[in-house]
Amino acid sequence: MADTEKTATLTIGDASWDLPVLSPTEGPDVIDIGKLYGQAGVFTYDPGFTSTAACESKITYIDGAEGILLHRGYPIGELAEKSHYLEVCYLLLYGELPSAAQLEKFEHTITHHTMLHEQMANFFRGFRRDAHPMAVMVGVVGAMSAFYHDSTDINDPRQREIASHRLIAKMPTIAAWAYKYTIGQPFVYPRNDLDYAANFLRMCFSVPAEDYVPDPILSRAMDRIFTLHADHEQNASTSTVRLASSSGANPFACIAAGIACLWGPAHGGANQACLEMLREIGTVDRIPEFIARAKDKNDPFRLMGFGHRVYKNFDPRATVMKQSADEVLELLGVDNNPTLQVAKELEKQALADPYFAEKKLFPNVDFYSGIILEAMGFPTSMFTPIFALSRTVGWISQWTEQLSDPALKIGRPRQLYTGETLRHYVEVEDR
Ligand code: SDX
């Protein structure tokens, strides 16, 4: 637990209570209200948790004002440039960058767990062909608890580690098979001679009639997208995983819950919604119309890919993603992509508009990722499954951290009740 030296005093009427203030290694102090209800008989109220720290964590730190994102202390820009996804997975899971031997062993383990239990292929076939790949992923990941019984005991650290490795290793296969199933193509099995990102691209785009050999630049861009989405502190889907885990649910059920939450357009679904919005805008001359709608209080429309609960300056991931977008589109000879032109002009006009500056709305991680994925040949329905694939290591790292906390209790928030007070049943003939 972070150290406690200071206190905060809460006064209600003529009564006061001192509450411990915990000091972090980075970020704001927190007031420990764990005993508040017992002492003062009051709850705190914070729907959306805009001012609430739900846990202590050592994994990821974000400074929204400064646009800082650290994974175990390392800046996301350095990791995106110098590291690669599986090394970042090791860092998030174990807390330190691996030695060469540790990395080789970890990569060998992940590589040799990428296949699914063959009977799971039947599970995919139970879905309608037009199912959204996220619906398939939620179902298939939840069903892993019916296939991998030897890694569901959350009280056994070794089983927790095996489940973690299985999930990281198998998510690309699950996402690729969800895609192949919805386009009516046969499943492509993973290959151990390919790296993580290249394997995923090949499982998505290879067909029996013609193998797919990923271009190294595309594999690198794919790996970078995985890295940029790996973890992000206590976002909605991670908080969902933590809450599910607090009841003792098995790892596959917890990650399926995280996938379900990520699907929403305000969260991981924003990359799909952003590209669909850019397509709806269509041409640069229609941008002012959409910016006006985003500013109109009577119009529920929002600029997808803009804004963030924490980042009120810029999303450091978007900066890196924008560089990748330029590289990929130049390689593919689509740097005059009309969607990219609209994206770049929209960003320019929005950032010049006082409304967005006042509301501190900047492009987030989802703004450019969709453009890269579309250029690679993915349909928009695959954008969030790729986000889910990437975020699995973050969910699993936070899940592991929480289960290792001896003070873990089931999460059970209270409420501000404003419903009816006690009243008694009235017979229907008397109503
Ligand atoms: C992700 O939490 C994470 O870390 C998430 C994530 C991760 O890695 O896990 O970073 C991934 O989810 C990124 C965010 C993707 N979502 C979108 O791009 C959807 C569009 N963005 C918005 O829905 C919104 O910005 C949120 C949900 C992201 C954040 O909303 P907040 O912090 O709850 O802010 P808010 O809704 O209270 O908005 C504050 C003001 C409001 O105006 P007022 O009521 O104060 O007048 O800003 C306005 C909003 O109307 N606003 C926008 C806007 N986002 C907020 N106006 C126009 N367009 C937008 N996109």
Side-chain angles (χ1 to χ4, degrees):
M1 175 65 80
D3 54 355
T4 301
E5 291 173 5
K6 296 175 269 189
T7 58
T9 301
L10 173 68
T11 299
I12 303 177
D14 55 7
S16 292
W17 298 269
D18 286 342
L19 301 169
V21 174
L22 308 181
S23 297
T25 50
E26 287 282 6
D29 285 351
V30 300
I31 301 170
D32 182 347
I33 57 169
K35 296 185 170 60
L36 177 64
Y37 180 57
Q39 292 172 346
V42 296
F43 295 145
T44 59
Y45 182 63
D46 184 17
F49 311 117
T50 52
S51 303
T52 294
C55 64
E56 178 179 351
S57 181
K58 302 179 186 330
I59 299 172
T60 292
Y61 172 70
I62 302 172
D63 182 323
E66 299 301 320
I68 290 171
L69 167 54
L70 307 179
H71 288 320
R72 301 288 191 178
Y74 295 97
I76 189 63
E78 289 182 30
L79 292 173
E81 182 193 342
K82 298 177 179 180
S83 186
H84 61 279
Y85 182 67
L86 284 188
E87 185 176 69
V88 172
C89 286
Y90 186 98
L91 174 66
L92 289 169
L93 278 171
Y94 298 108
E96 297 294 338
L97 288 170
S99 66
Q102 288 167 326
L103 181 58
E104 183 185 2
K105 180 170 184 278
F106 180 71
E107 292 188 335
H108 182 274
T109 299
I110 297 301
T111 300
H112 290 78
H113 281 79
T114 50
M115 286 181 69
L116 297 180
H117 187 295
E118 189 60 20
Q119 203 171 328
M120 291 191 82
N122 302 330
F123 198 86
F124 282 81
R125 294 189 180 98
F127 289 94
R128 279 176 43 146
R129 285 287 183 180
D130 58 357
H132 193 292
M134 282 298 278
V136 176
M137 287 187 84
V138 169
V140 170
V141 172
M144 286 176 75
S145 50
F147 288 85
Y148 299 104
H149 300 105
D150 60 338
S151 59
T152 54
D153 178 357
I154 60 165
N155 299 306
D156 178 347
R158 180 55 185 147
Q159 288 200 31
R160 293 206 299 261
E161 185 175 44
I162 292 169
S164 302
H165 292 168
R166 277 176 168 155
L167 279 158
I168 293 167
K170 297 179 194 301
M171 283 299 265
T173 311
I174 292 168
W177 285 20
Y179 170 55
K180 283 302 206 185
Y181 183 71
T182 58
I183 60 173
Q185 290 185 359
F187 298 142
V188 175
Y189 287 82
R191 280 208 347 223
N192 294 348
D193 61 327
L194 295 175
D195 67 39
Y196 193 86
N199 217 352
F200 173 65
L201 289 172
R202 181 179 170 276
M203 285 191 282
C204 289
F205 297 128
S206 181
V207 290
E210 185 177 344
D211 199 1
Y212 172 87
V213 181
D215 181 295
I217 292 180
L218 295 187
S219 297
R220 178 71 184 130
M222 190 80 261
D223 188 272
R224 186 173 287 171
I225 285 178
F226 293 159
T227 296
L228 291 172
H229 289 83
D231 188 52
H232 212 239
E233 196 208 70
Q234 306 311 318
N235 57 86
S237 53
T238 298
S239 301
T240 301
V241 170
R242 279 182 173 263
L243 195 56
S245 165
S246 73
S247 74
N250 74 68
F252 307 112
C254 293
I255 300 305
I259 296 171
C261 175
L262 186 76
W263 195 355
H267 189 14
N271 49 19
Q272 173 174 348
C274 177
L275 204 89
E276 287 164 355
M277 173 193 74
L278 292 172
R279 281 210 193 107
E280 186 187 355
I281 294 173
T283 55
V284 170
D285 61 314
R286 294 190 66 207
I287 288 175
E289 167 197 338
F290 284 82
I291 286 183
R293 284 188 57 195
K295 292 157 65 173
D296 178 356
K297 282 282 155 256
N298 300 317
D299 189 331
F301 172 79
R302 289 192 166 184
L303 286 183
M304 304 314 283
F306 276 78
H308 199 276
R309 168 62 57 79
V310 177
Y311 291 124
K312 299 307 178 186
N313 187 335
F314 65 96
D315 184 336
R317 301 168 297 173
T319 307
V320 181
M321 200 72 81
K322 184 172 177 177
Q323 293 161 7
S324 272
D326 288 335
E327 287 168 17
V328 167
L329 295 171
E330 186 183 349
L331 169 83
L332 298 175
V334 288
D335 48 2
N336 60 350
N337 173 313
T339 306
L340 179 64
Q341 303 316 322
V342 169
K344 289 187 170 180
E345 183 61 24
L346 173 62
E347 181 187 24
K348 185 177 160 193
Q349 292 189 28
L351 295 183
D353 189 306
Y355 174 88
F356 293 92
E358 175 202 323
K359 299 284 181 189
K360 301 188 182 304
L361 300 174
F362 299 85
N364 57 43
V365 68
D366 294 304
F367 187 70
Y368 280 101
S369 59
I371 292 161
I372 297 173
L373 294 174
E374 188 201 40
M376 286 180 171
F378 288 104
T380 53
S381 60
M382 275 301 290
F383 292 3
T384 310
I386 289 169
F387 193 153
L389 181 174
S390 313
R391 184 54 55 88
T392 294
V393 66
W395 291 329
I396 277 295
S397 301
Q398 304 266 352
W399 170 81
T400 302
E401 180 178 66
Q402 176 170 278
L403 286 177
S404 309
D405 178 353
L408 172 63
K409 288 193 288 189
I410 188 168
R412 206 301 189 190
R414 301 306 301 273
Q415 63 180 5
L416 166 65
Y417 177 69
T418 55
E420 295 290 343
T421 55
L422 176 65
R423 55 182 174 167
H424 297 289
Y425 186 81
V426 178
E427 297 300 334
V428 66
E429 55 271 16
D430 298 330
R431 291 175 199 159

